[in-house]
Amino acid sequence: MRLVNKWGVRDRTLPSSISESRKLPTEEADNGVQPSDGLPCDSIHDTTGKKIISWEPNDKENPYNWSNRRKLFINITCMMTVTNSTMGSSLPSMAIPFMTREWGVTSDTQKVLPISTYLIGYVFGPLLWGPLSEHIGRRNLTTAALSLFTLWTLGCALSPNWSSFLIFRFLCGTFGSAPIAIVTGQLADIYEDSVSRGRALSFYFAWVALIYAGATLIPVVLFLPETYAPVLLTRRAQKLRKVDPTAQVYAAFELEEKGVNQVITKVLTRPIRMILTETIVTATCLYLALVYAIFYISFAAFPIVFQELYGLSPGVTGLLFLPIFGGVLISLVIFSAWGTFLRKSQERNRPWTKKEEYRRVPLAAIGGPIFAVSLFWLGFSAKIDVHYAVPSLAGIGFGIGFQLIFIGMLNYLTDAYEIFAASANAAASSARSFLAVVLPLATTPMFAQLGISGALGLLGGLSLLLSAIPFIFLWKGERIRAGSAFCIALKERKLEMQRKAEEEMGKRDGTTTIGGDSQEEKEVA
């Protein structure tokens, strides 16, 4: 029988023949092999006599059980770090004409580079930060990346020429992309309940640079705690060994291979393998990449529509982005209403609430068609004999659709992959950033060749086509997840945790028998 003390230590040793056969769910999923028992331990060698600690039910140090006040602080701090990235990506857009004039830059392609080079950093950065946060923890990585982001932002401000400015913009994008990949993992760390996690993510998605980055760095360095459970368990085991040097108490995370080869072949390649092998990740990346690229195309499209066609000034054109912000606010109202409806339905035990896909994907299913219609609206209403207010109102639908698509799809990624959420979101971030680099370069030629209605009609048609993806998830998502190695590993892990909780309750009631353990554990006992 397995005994567990108040520290969560399993009071039994692991014979090497048993311990060598067990692998972490992460490792199993990475290798495409279904885990045999879901126990959270990696390939362990020479571990005879070592005791493995894990969380106990209602463990106060488990991030899931932290106070709401502490979770709220983490959520707000994470939102601040993400705002650095989202602000930084488009911050120079209205200043580009002045910078290019000062440095003598005349090429139209060159004028797009301040945003494109930042987004190139977005392509490569998440592939590094997401999986690394699952390997070494979230906090230190966030602190280091944000510190360097602040330094590179200062470099942009002090750049003596165009080339150095672009280099610093690339570095800003690379290090500024860290929160995009890490934050979803942090929220998955602290919110076990999908509704609470979804609400937190919605605020995360709702939207100078140097000052703000420096101000954000202060709470990150001083107050942001580590949220990654394996790292926290490692610290607990280290404390136990410090108190009793003879204790052979370890966290499973400590016993994993952490060599350079392991990091390169398994950890850092995880987002790429998820794009290539996970249908949910592949489809989500494709859809979000298009939507994200269209968002950045709008920075070049709006001047074409409202300055060249209607003859408005740059200042007035900038104000016409406000309807998009209004649409974002409306989307948050829709999200809140959906969350209330979902919660009430769960309390009434409606069968549909048991399905993973019906928690957040319906939001994307609503937002997709709205987003596509907004593009058609802008494209076909932008005519010299139609007042500019009419096409500008398309921004409301644009903001609603954009926000609901991102809330729905990225929430689904987080819910579906949980401990792998950072890698899944890193894959999505890199994919959409890649397309956001490429498509805006074609904006001016596309509008010149197809005209305003033709170019926006093409983008609207593509958006409408891919808006079928959320509906496919609602229809076949459960079957898709059933064939996913990563989702299988998560399911096994949850079953193990549930079994542990039931055993612990049985011990407290004095009803636990050896029959509660698996056959393998009976043999060990």
Side-chain angles (χ1 to χ4, degrees), residues 286-316:
L286 179 63
Y287 191 20
L288 294 184
L290 177 66
V291 173
Y292 196 64
I294 292 174
F295 174 75
Y296 277 95
I297 286 175
S298 70
F299 289 110
F302 266 49
I304 293 174
V305 174
F306 295 107
Q307 290 180 232
E308 295 181 13
L309 178 64
Y310 285 103
L312 301 178
S313 67
V316 174

Side-chain angles (χ1 to χ4, degrees), residues 188-212:
D189 290 340
I190 63 177
Y191 290 106
E192 183 175 21
D193 174 56
S194 61
V195 175
S196 300
R197 183 166 60 233
R199 187 178 296 115
L201 280 167
S202 72
F203 287 112
Y204 150 61
F205 290 121
W207 10 102
V208 162
L210 173 61
I211 297 174
Y212 189 83

Side-chain angles (χ1 to χ4, degrees), residues 96-117:
I96 287 175
F98 303 98
M99 290 188 291
T100 53
R101 189 181 306 124
E102 179 177 343
W103 280 322
V105 177
T106 57
S107 168
D108 289 336
T109 301
Q110 287 276 321
K111 292 177 181 179
V112 181
L113 290 181
I115 292 178
S116 295
T117 51

